[in-house]
Amino acid sequence: MGKTTLIRHGRIITATDDYVADLLLQDGVVRAIGLQLEVGPDVTVVDASGLYVLPGGVDTHVHLENMIGPTVTCDTFASGTKAAAFGGTTTVVDFALQTAEDSVLGAIARAQALAEPQVNIDYSVHCIVTRVDTQVLADVRHAMRHEGVTSFKMFMAYPGVMMADDAAIFRMLRQVGGEGGMVALHAENGTVIELLIQEALAAGHASPRYHALTRPAILEGEATHRGIRLAELAEAQIYFVHVSSHQALKHIVTARDEGIPVFAETCPHYLLFDDSVYDNDDFETAKYVMTPPLRKPADQEHLWRALRYDDLQVIATDHCPFCMKEGHLGYRLQKQRGRHDFSLIPNGAPGIETRLTSLYDIGVTQGRLSLNRFVQLTSTTPAKLFGLFPKKGTIAVGSDADVVLFDPDATQTIHAHDLHSHCDYTLLEGRTLRGRVNKVWLRGELIVDGEQWLGREGMGRFVPRGTVQAF
Ligand code: URP
Ligand code: ZN
Ligand code: ZN
């Protein structure tokens, strides 16, 4: 018999409901929801008056211990999942990378072996597929039917590293879509970007700002349009990761209006920052070297509108941390690799711990998102699109007891040294945010209590996933 906890008088918020009630967590699941629930003396009672009771966050785009080109992201499964938990996220979907030597099934097994002893919260993986043949397609079918891995990521960018050609993407869409799964696509025209990078470097333009200037939004838009047409032909659903621009969004909106099952995420950094951060030749700007780059304030307005009207369905972090300082925690030569050549700066930024609070602050308190929509974007819909619902993504009788107590009135000032990631910076350094994660339960076990860590490495579990549940 597991631990039993009664959370009293909290304001329970799901994607659809908002009410004050008591919540009984028992044997890892939500056992009962009701008014004035009676419990015995052996039950731990937590008074949640004045607090929100949210389903644990589901972050379906994180890079923990991922090889990205020649370097590995600086968060391990242990540090990244601990940081996620402190931020109110109880499930992450990371990546398993099919390499030249590895099969799809081998890549999934390798990622699980790495994660299993370390994870502090529940997890799954999308498998990144870089080359496609009949064996790969057979392995993909096997992974979907027998391994609980139902989503696959493909890249239209990073030629020579992870880029797949259109025919490979089309074959995957047909295979995965036919089985009810999801292809997640990184949409940027990789070969034209590569040309622009080489031209910039030849002209002596080496500072981080050229990362943004060589990845214009029109090339995100072009690739997004191409991806949509491939999905349409394959009669498959498709999911666009890290949508940053109106150029991409306008194709997504049109396709959805045409009835094509197109889904998409954006990330907090595209809402929090704009491309004015690149207006200098300072190497500190390498902090903002992520892909796609930050866009214009007008793009942000389009992103907010799409979030409100459901043309964007998910906010995930794309947490892809690389340290700024050489030697930090032993992770040498990360962002500094590109000190004299922006194209060598590893792409990515941290954000796993600040997702809920930053979105609560700029989304909910500023009237851009309702509380229900906030939960839907950060927990419920990612769970549905990636086959985790209703085990994850909601508070309902029988769902996993992954629960966050959130204090809507507390404020916190963000500093990298207070966060739990291995990354030596946060994009939010010094920023004061309204809202704070107060307690977190994973399957009924209290793992975060204020600033206290009560979790254990290895307590997280691999969650076998089902097919897309968005229709
Ligand atoms: O800059 C980013 N996003 N790095 C991670 C790899 C990717 O494209 O998702
Ligand atoms: Zn990407
Ligand atoms: Zn990513």
Side-chain angles (χ1 to χ4, degrees):
M1 176 106 163
K3 292 191 180 103
T4 305
T5 303
L6 182 73
I7 303 174
R8 269 213 198 282
H9 307 308
R11 183 170 160 193
I12 298 172
I13 297 158
T14 67
T16 48
D17 297 313
D18 183 343
Y19 56 97
V20 173
D22 300 344
L23 191 63
L24 188 69
L25 316 182
Q26 191 175 52
D27 298 333
V29 298
V30 174
R31 181 68 62 207
I33 305 172
L35 297 176
Q36 315 287 352
L37 291 180
E38 298 286 343
V39 289
D42 51 334
V43 172
T44 306
V45 178
V46 175
D47 181 10
S49 305
L51 302 178
Y52 297 161
V53 183
L54 311 176
V58 176
D59 190 346
T60 49
H61 190 161
V62 305
H63 298 272
L64 307 178
E65 243 166 305
N66 281 185
M67 277 312 288
I68 307 270
T71 185
V72 65
T73 53
C74 71
D75 269 320
T76 58
F77 276 98
S79 64
T81 53
K82 184 173 175 180
F86 270 102
T89 290
T90 49
T91 306
V92 289
V93 187
D94 199 282
F95 295 96
L97 173 64
Q98 175 209 32
T99 61
E101 311 82 55
D102 232 351
S103 65
V104 160
L105 298 177
I108 293 169
R110 193 160 41 90
Q112 283 177 301
L114 190 61
E116 213 67 28
Q118 300 189 60
V119 277
N120 291 293
I121 59 172
D122 288 355
Y123 80 103
S124 179
V125 290
H126 313 279
C127 185
I128 296 175
V129 173
T130 52
R131 71 192 146 73
V132 177
D133 56 27
T134 47
Q135 184 59 50
V136 169
L137 294 177
D139 284 357
V140 162
R141 188 173 56 235
H142 183 93
M144 293 189 67
R145 292 186 182 175
H146 305 292
E147 305 293 335
V149 174
T150 52
S151 54
F152 299 85
K153 169 117 178 251
M154 299 191 82
F155 287 86
M156 296 172 123
Y158 309 133
V161 189
M162 292 195 281
M163 192 173 106
D165 66 25
D166 292 349
I169 293 167
F170 176 67
R171 290 179 85 184
M172 279 291 287
L173 281 162
R174 236 177 6 194
Q175 177 70 47
V176 175
E179 298 262 334
M182 191 72 97
V183 170
L185 201 58
H186 173 133
E188 280 185 309
N189 186 317
T191 55
V192 177
I193 287 170
E194 189 53 34
L195 175 77
L196 298 181
I197 290 172
Q198 293 314 323
E199 286 177 353
L201 291 172
H205 297 148
S207 69
R209 72 155 82 192
Y210 291 97
H211 169 77
L213 293 173
T214 54
R215 305 189 93 91
I218 193 165
L219 295 181
E220 186 189 358
E222 182 279 325
T224 303
H225 178 259
R226 192 159 26 106
I228 289 168
R229 299 283 79 98
L230 295 175
E232 185 182 18
L233 187 65
E235 297 184 20
Q237 53 270 11
I238 188 165
Y239 180 89
F240 289 95
V241 294
H242 50 46
V243 171
S244 66
S245 66
H246 181 224
Q247 284 279 358
L249 210 41
K250 68 184 182 191
H251 297 296
I252 293 168
V253 173
T254 305
R256 287 176 63 81
D257 287 348
E258 289 167 356
I260 302 170
V262 175
F263 304 94
E265 74 181 22
T266 190
C267 313
H269 42 261
Y270 299 118
L271 302 166
L272 286 156
F273 308 100
D274 63 52
D275 65 353
S276 59
V277 304
Y278 301 120
D279 289 347
N280 61 77
D281 287 310
D282 191 338
F283 192 71
E284 280 297 293
T285 302
K287 289 176 179 169
Y288 299 96
V289 168
M290 77 282 283
T291 299
L294 301 169
R295 305 297 191 188
K296 306 235 168 280
D299 290 290
Q300 292 179 319
E301 288 314 310
H302 285 284
L303 294 177
W304 282 118
R305 192 166 67 182
L307 288 167
R308 274 199 298 277
Y309 294 109
D310 208 35
D311 286 314
L312 288 169
Q313 299 80 32
V314 173
I315 304 179
T317 57
D318 193 7
H319 176 78
C320 190
F322 296 104
C323 290
M324 279 295 285
K325 294 190 206 86
E326 209 167 335
H328 175 77
L329 289 172
Y331 295 99
R332 299 188 69 243
L333 296 171
Q334 292 212 289
K335 292 281 186 183
Q336 299 293 337
R337 299 175 78 91
R339 183 163 273 283
H340 305 296
D341 174 348
F342 71 89
S343 73
L344 301 179
I345 301 170
N347 291 189
I352 203 165
E353 191 166 342
T354 49
R355 182 177 67 132
L356 294 188
T357 32
S358 64
L359 290 171
Y360 179 78
D361 183 84
I362 56 164
V364 179
T365 72
Q366 296 189 27
R368 292 174 168 125
L369 301 175
S370 70
L371 274 170
N372 297 118
R373 184 71 179 142
F374 167 67
V375 170
Q376 194 171 39
L377 288 162
T378 55
S379 179
T380 314
T381 304
K384 287 186 175 179
L385 288 177
F386 292 104
L388 291 158
F389 186 86
K391 186 175 171 61
K392 306 293 185 187
T394 194
I395 292 178
V397 172
S399 291
D400 278 1
D402 297 346
V403 178
V404 175
L405 280 197
F406 190 85
D407 185 342
D409 300 318
T411 57
Q412 59 180 320
T413 302
I414 305 296
H415 297 293
H417 60 76
D418 294 331
L419 300 177
H420 299 83
S421 164
H422 279 168
C423 196
D424 60 355
Y425 75 94
T426 161
L427 298 178
L428 291 160
E429 187 65 40
R431 189 148 164 171
T432 299
L433 301 176
R434 175 106 170 269
R436 187 168 193 141
V437 171
N438 178 292
K439 288 187 192 339
V440 179
W441 286 264
L442 175 73
R443 281 179 276 101
E445 279 200 60
L446 187 62
I447 57 172
V448 171
D449 190 2
E451 290 175 12
Q452 213 188 340
W453 175 242
L454 302 171
R456 296 178 313 280
E457 285 179 18
M459 74 182 287
R461 289 188 194 151
F462 177 78
V463 191
R465 293 186 285 120
T467 52
V468 177
Q469 299 153 277
F471 306 111

